Amino acid sequence: MSEEVWLTCLTHALTTETEEIMGLLLGDIQNTSDGSAIALIWGASPQPRSDRRKDRVETNPEQLAAASAQAEISF
């Protein structure tokens, strides 16, 4: 995970102290010769909450579609 991705996640996490947050990590899976896998994270897409209840973390389909489009363009 790059420093930029980590800072994006940290900044998003610090936007609230009392509510959960959510987002998508964008990246690739690299299989190694020993049979394990490594996640190579190259992007983050913080998702704003569409439900303001403290025990819910939901996003709307348009935001997910935009994040998916970002992943396709960056890939």
Side-chain angles (χ1 to χ4, degrees):
M1 177 183 296
S2 70
E3 183 178 349
E4 180 182 355
V5 170
W6 184 83
L7 288 173
T8 299
C9 294
L10 179 63
T11 301
H12 187 50
L14 295 174
T15 61
T16 181
E17 294 180 15
T18 60
E19 298 174 342
E20 290 190 48
I21 59 165
M22 70 176 290
L24 301 172
L25 294 176
L26 309 173
D28 302 298
I29 300 295
Q30 182 179 49
N31 295 310
T32 63
S33 60
D34 66 0
S36 62
I38 299 172
L40 303 171
I41 308 301
W42 45 260
S45 179
Q47 298 292 296
R49 297 166 62 99
S50 63
D51 190 322
R52 299 310 308 171
R53 292 177 283 182
K54 289 184 180 184
D55 64 339
R56 302 277 159 57
V57 180
E58 297 178 5
T59 189
N60 68 43
E62 291 82 15
Q63 292 167 335
L64 291 176
S68 178
Q70 176 188 353
E72 291 295 326
I73 290 169
S74 299
F75 184 67

